[in-house]
Amino acid sequence: MQRAKVFMVMIDGVSADYFANHRNRYPNLSALAENGFLVKRMRSPFPATSMPGRASILTGDSTVRHGIYGNRILVNGEFVPPQAEDVKTRTIALRAHEAGLDVACIGHALVDPEHTSVYVPPCWLRSCGFMKQGDQGARLLNVKDPQSRLAGVPLGLEATAASKPDDVSRITNFLWGDQSMIAAATALACSSDAPDLILTEVNLTDTYQHEFGYESREAHFSVAFADLLVGQITSQLARAGRLSEYAIAITSDHGHGPVHTAIYPDRVIPDAAWATEGAVLHVQVSSKADVQSVTARLSEFGVEPCDSIHVSEDDRTNICTFTAPPGHDFEAVPSSTPSDQFLGKSKHLSTHGFWAGAPFDDRICIFSGKHVPQGSCEIADETQFASTIGELLKLPKDFSAASLFEAQ
């Protein structure tokens, strides 16, 4: 059987519950689910935050194997944003590259440019996300397009990097940043030299939920915008006569859920180094006394310790993991907060990265198109997404988990 080409779109932060409850709002995603294969609940890795989710999407491995156990990982005694070279296992981009396939990464994080024919960095990596330019190697910020296959396609990266860092421009940046990445990826797929594997992201959905709340009007708008972008992909592929060549793979890196109260680790454990996004906290420790002290202090605010088996074995003895109580997250203390205040109103109205197995963190997963069987399953593990792409691309079956189709 001839291999399919694969067009993969990661839509940030769309939960399984959200899609199930509001699917009628989104005709393009619904059509793909009806005509393809729907996973009603795809689990997220723990912690269910952006970088662990992306790394598991790309590798099909658990966090302890691929090494990306948080949005910041411990490197030389400091919590820093992970880069592509920190991924310890083989990504789907590398596997496809080794098989001689043409790989294009258009704005997807944690992909090594060396494993692609065309590479465009994520817009958020260059400007308004939690990673700043100084956190990343220069090669991850540069466009790689040696054959000028994106000639004439506006990417807008320099304008993004120069935008004012206020809330309005940051939110607006995601609108046209997502649109420009999808437009570039679709232009490649419709060209005479269409890649075998395209990896891209839509990020507005996560930002709008953080800023405006789960199931807010703005959140509904953001998912509707993502749905329009998916429709743009399928309609343009159809007009170009390419739709029959591609399998469309849709997933999210994590889910989302409402929060109302922030815990300020700066105040609760002022002498400790820590990293967080959402309701999971990593704390650097050096002794049993450290562990006991940090655990006792955090417990005063309902924070629970949890096993750190998701952390790389090399770091596990130096990191303790904690989860916030329901409705809470961990945040840096705002500069104007009184010195005796340990809690406050959450900056984010919705977040992710809750306790292990939290239903909030379950996410969407849809496959549709060439060689995709029609059907559904109730629940699947995060490790099965990459192996399913591997099956469609006819790559060697040496993934850590069976594909979704094999499992059925």
Side-chain angles (χ1 to χ4, degrees):
M1 185 169 58
Q2 184 183 10
R3 70 164 53 93
K5 296 178 184 290
V6 176
F7 196 130
M8 193 278 277
V9 185
M10 194 286 292
I11 305 177
D12 201 341
V14 180
S15 71
D17 286 334
Y18 181 90
F19 186 64
N21 293 334
H22 301 287
R23 179 171 162 177
N24 63 320
R25 294 172 178 262
Y26 310 116
N28 296 300
L29 290 169
S30 293
L32 291 179
E34 289 166 7
N35 298 316
F37 191 91
L38 170 67
V39 179
K40 295 180 181 179
R41 307 190 75 87
M42 175 160 271
R43 293 296 193 192
S44 292
F46 178 81
T49 55
S50 300
M51 295 299 105
R54 285 166 169 82
S56 290
I57 287 168
L58 292 171
T59 65
D61 292 316
S62 63
T63 55
V64 71
R65 291 195 64 200
H66 61 58
I68 310 302
Y69 52 81
N71 284 340
R72 291 180 177 267
I73 60 174
L74 197 61
V75 177
N76 298 324
E78 181 181 1
F79 284 108
V80 299
Q83 300 189 37
E85 52 263 39
D86 294 313
V87 180
K88 295 180 179 179
T89 56
R90 296 159 68 216
T91 67
I92 194 70
L94 173 57
R95 291 169 180 267
H97 176 73
E98 290 174 338
L101 302 184
D102 183 11
V103 179
C105 172
I106 309 297
H108 198 288
L110 296 180
V111 175
D112 193 321
E114 295 299 316
H115 306 154
T116 68
S117 303
V118 180
Y119 173 85
V120 178
C123 287
W124 55 262
L125 189 152
R126 296 174 63 95
S127 59
C128 57
F130 67 91
M131 294 185 184
K132 305 300 181 184
Q133 290 196 35
D135 292 326
Q136 301 294 317
R139 72 190 187 94
L140 298 180
L141 296 172
N142 297 325
V143 173
K144 173 186 175 182
D145 186 17
Q147 297 178 344
S148 299
R149 293 163 70 182
L150 293 173
V153 178
L155 299 174
L157 296 176
E158 295 308 318
T160 302
S163 295
K164 296 178 181 179
D166 57 68
D167 287 342
V168 173
S169 65
R170 183 169 62 84
I171 291 171
T172 303
N173 281 344
F174 280 108
L175 275 168
W176 54 260
D178 287 344
Q179 195 280 329
S180 64
M181 294 298 101
I182 294 299
T186 306
L188 271 179
C190 293
S191 70
S192 59
D193 191 14
D196 298 297
L197 173 63
I198 298 173
L199 304 168
T200 191
E201 296 186 359
V202 173
N203 295 285
L204 184 76
T205 41
D206 180 66
T207 300
Y208 272 46
Q209 289 180 93
H210 279 309
E211 296 288 336
F212 301 109
Y214 185 75
E215 295 183 318
S216 64
R217 292 179 303 171
E218 294 84 355
H220 293 325
F221 163 78
S222 70
V223 183
F225 182 73
D227 186 72
L228 287 171
L229 294 179
V230 170
Q232 175 182 319
I233 294 168
T234 56
S235 63
Q236 291 189 16
L237 284 173
R239 284 199 298 271
R242 294 281 185 182
L243 186 58
S244 62
E245 299 177 15
Y246 274 96
I248 310 295
I250 307 286
T251 191
S252 186
D253 51 348
H254 51 70
H256 248 275
V259 289
H260 49 71
T261 301
I263 301 169
Y264 302 138
D266 317 64
R267 296 283 173 78
V268 180
I269 46 172
D271 298 324
W274 56 272
T276 186
E277 183 185 291
V280 172
L281 179 71
H282 290 133
V283 181
Q284 185 178 7
V285 293
S286 59
S287 66
K288 288 185 178 179
D290 274 354
V291 174
Q292 293 171 350
S293 175
V294 167
T295 302
R297 186 69 178 121
L298 288 168
S299 69
E300 297 176 27
F301 300 89
V303 176
E304 296 283 345
C306 61
D307 203 322
S308 294
I309 57 172
H310 62 286
V311 175
S312 301
E313 292 185 10
D314 293 342
D315 294 331
R316 199 173 297 165
T317 57
N318 300 317
I319 292 176
C320 280
T321 306
F322 300 88
T323 57
H328 292 62
D329 68 350
F330 298 103
E331 297 178 12
V333 62
S335 58
S336 59
T337 306
S339 59
D340 61 346
Q341 190 169 326
F342 301 94
L343 304 173
K345 184 178 179 180
S346 293
K347 174 184 176 182
H348 295 144
L349 300 180
S350 182
T351 197
H352 45 86
F354 295 96
W355 59 92
F360 292 119
D361 286 325
D362 292 343
R363 54 201 166 110
I364 61 169
C365 176
I366 302 168
F367 282 87
S368 187
K370 187 170 184 177
H371 300 329
V372 175
Q374 191 169 10
S376 66
C377 68
E378 291 296 323
I379 194 165
D381 190 78
E382 74 271 12
T383 58
Q384 293 179 267
F385 186 82
S387 58
T388 306
I389 292 180
E391 179 177 341
L392 292 167
L393 293 173
K394 303 301 177 189
L395 299 179
K397 294 185 178 182
D398 56 352
F399 291 84
S400 61
S403 79
L404 293 165
F405 310 149
E406 287 179 304
Q408 290 298 299

Coordinates of all heavy atoms in Angstrom, one line a residue, residues 1-6 96 99-102 196-197 244-247 370-371 389-396:
M1 N 0.8 -1.2 0.0 CA 0.0 0.0 0.0 C 0.9 1.2 0.0 O 1.8 1.3 0.8 CB -0.9 0.0 1.2 CG -1.9 1.2 1.3 SD -3.2 0.9 2.6 CE -2.1 0.8 4.1
Q2 N 0.5 2.2 -0.9 CA 1.3 3.4 -1.0 C 1.2 4.2 0.3 O 0.1 4.3 0.9 CB 0.8 4.3 -2.1 CG 1.6 5.5 -2.4 CD 1.0 6.3 -3.5 OE1 -0.1 6.0 -4.0 NE2 1.8 7.3 -4.0
R3 N 2.3 4.9 0.7 CA 2.2 5.7 2.0 C 1.4 7.0 1.7 O 1.3 7.5 0.6 CB 3.6 6.1 2.4 CG 4.4 7.1 1.6 CD 5.6 7.7 2.3 NE 6.5 6.7 2.8 CZ 7.5 6.2 2.2 NH1 7.8 6.6 1.0 NH2 8.3 5.4 2.8
A4 N 0.8 7.4 2.8 CA 0.2 8.7 2.8 C 1.2 9.8 3.1 O 2.2 9.6 3.8 CB -1.0 8.8 3.8
K5 N 0.9 11.0 2.6 CA 1.6 12.2 3.2 C 0.8 12.6 4.4 O -0.4 12.3 4.5 CB 1.6 13.3 2.1 CG 2.4 13.0 0.9 CD 2.3 14.2 -0.1 CE 3.1 13.9 -1.4 NZ 4.5 13.9 -1.2
V6 N 1.4 13.2 5.4 CA 0.8 13.6 6.6 C 0.9 15.1 6.9 O 2.0 15.6 6.8 CB 1.3 12.8 7.8 CG1 0.7 13.3 9.1 CG2 1.1 11.3 7.6
A96 N 11.3 10.3 9.9 CA 10.9 10.5 8.5 C 12.2 10.9 7.7 O 12.4 10.5 6.6 CB 9.8 11.5 8.4
A99 N 14.3 8.1 6.9 CA 13.7 7.2 5.8 C 13.7 7.9 4.5 O 13.2 7.3 3.5 CB 12.2 6.9 6.2
G100 N 14.4 9.1 4.4 CA 14.5 9.8 3.1 C 13.3 10.6 2.7 O 13.2 11.0 1.5
L101 N 12.4 10.9 3.7 CA 11.2 11.6 3.4 C 11.5 13.1 3.5 O 12.4 13.6 4.2 CB 10.0 11.2 4.3 CG 9.7 9.7 4.3 CD1 8.4 9.5 5.1 CD2 9.4 9.3 2.8
D102 N 10.6 13.9 2.8 CA 10.7 15.3 2.8 C 9.9 15.9 4.0 O 8.7 15.7 4.0 CB 10.1 15.8 1.5 CG 10.2 17.3 1.3 OD1 10.9 18.0 2.1 OD2 9.6 17.9 0.4
D196 N 6.4 15.2 2.4 CA 5.7 14.0 2.9 C 5.2 14.2 4.3 O 4.2 13.6 4.7 CB 6.8 12.9 3.0 CG 7.3 12.6 1.6 OD1 6.5 12.1 0.7 OD2 8.5 12.8 1.4
L197 N 5.8 15.1 5.1 CA 5.3 15.3 6.5 C 5.4 16.8 6.7 O 6.5 17.4 6.5 CB 6.2 14.6 7.5 CG 6.0 14.9 9.0 CD1 4.5 14.5 9.4 CD2 7.0 14.1 9.8
S244 N -6.4 14.1 -1.7 CA -6.4 12.7 -1.6 C -5.1 12.1 -1.3 O -5.0 10.9 -1.0 CB -6.9 12.1 -3.0 OG -6.0 12.6 -4.0
E245 N -4.0 12.9 -1.3 CA -2.7 12.4 -1.0 C -2.4 12.5 0.5 O -1.5 11.8 0.9 CB -1.6 13.3 -1.8 CG -1.7 13.2 -3.3 CD -0.7 14.2 -3.9 OE1 0.2 14.6 -3.2 OE2 -0.9 14.5 -5.1
Y246 N -3.1 13.3 1.2 CA -2.8 13.6 2.6 C -3.7 12.9 3.6 O -4.9 12.9 3.4 CB -2.8 15.1 2.8 CG -1.5 15.8 2.5 CD1 -1.3 16.4 1.3 CD2 -0.4 15.8 3.4 CE1 -0.1 17.0 0.9 CE2 0.8 16.4 3.1 CZ 0.9 17.0 1.8 OH 2.1 17.6 1.5
A247 N -3.1 12.5 4.7 CA -3.8 12.3 6.0 C -3.7 13.5 6.8 O -2.6 14.0 7.0 CB -3.3 11.0 6.7
K370 N -6.3 10.0 3.8 CA -5.7 8.8 3.1 C -5.3 7.8 4.1 O -4.5 8.0 5.0 CB -4.6 9.2 2.2 CG -4.0 8.1 1.4 CD -3.0 8.6 0.3 CE -2.6 7.4 -0.6 NZ -1.7 7.9 -1.6
H371 N -5.8 6.5 3.9 CA -5.4 5.4 4.7 C -5.9 5.4 6.1 O -5.4 4.6 6.9 CB -3.9 5.1 4.6 CG -3.3 4.8 3.3 ND1 -4.1 4.3 2.3 CD2 -2.1 5.1 2.8 CE1 -3.3 4.2 1.2 NE2 -2.1 4.7 1.4
I389 N 1.2 8.3 13.1 CA 1.8 9.0 12.0 C 2.8 8.1 11.3 O 2.9 8.1 10.1 CB 2.4 10.3 12.5 CG1 1.3 11.3 12.9 CG2 3.3 11.0 11.4 CD1 1.9 12.7 13.4
G390 N 3.6 7.4 12.1 CA 4.6 6.5 11.6 C 4.0 5.4 10.7 O 4.5 5.1 9.6
E391 N 2.8 4.9 11.1 CA 2.1 3.9 10.3 C 1.7 4.5 9.0 O 1.8 3.9 7.9 CB 0.9 3.4 11.0 CG 0.1 2.3 10.3 CD -1.0 1.7 11.0 OE1 -1.0 1.8 12.3 OE2 -1.9 1.2 10.4
L392 N 1.1 5.7 9.0 CA 0.7 6.4 7.8 C 1.9 6.6 6.8 O 1.7 6.5 5.6 CB 0.0 7.7 8.1 CG -1.4 7.5 8.8 CD1 -1.9 8.8 9.3 CD2 -2.4 6.9 7.8
L393 N 3.0 7.0 7.4 CA 4.2 7.2 6.6 C 5.0 6.0 6.2 O 6.0 6.0 5.5 CB 5.1 8.2 7.3 CG 4.6 9.6 7.5 CD1 5.6 10.4 8.4 CD2 4.5 10.3 6.2
K394 N 4.5 4.8 6.7 CA 5.2 3.5 6.4 C 6.6 3.5 7.0 O 7.5 3.0 6.3 CB 5.2 3.2 4.9 CG 3.8 3.2 4.3 CD 2.9 2.2 4.9 CE 1.5 2.2 4.4 NZ 0.6 1.3 5.1
L395 N 6.8 4.0 8.2 CA 8.1 4.0 8.9 C 8.2 2.7 9.6 O 7.2 2.0 9.9 CB 8.2 5.2 9.8 CG 8.1 6.6 9.2 CD1 8.2 7.6 10.3 CD2 9.2 6.8 8.1
P396 N 9.4 2.3 10.0 CA 9.6 1.1 10.8 C 8.8 1.1 12.0 O 8.7 2.2 12.7 CB 11.1 1.1 11.0 CG 11.7 1.8 9.9 CD 10.7 2.9 9.6

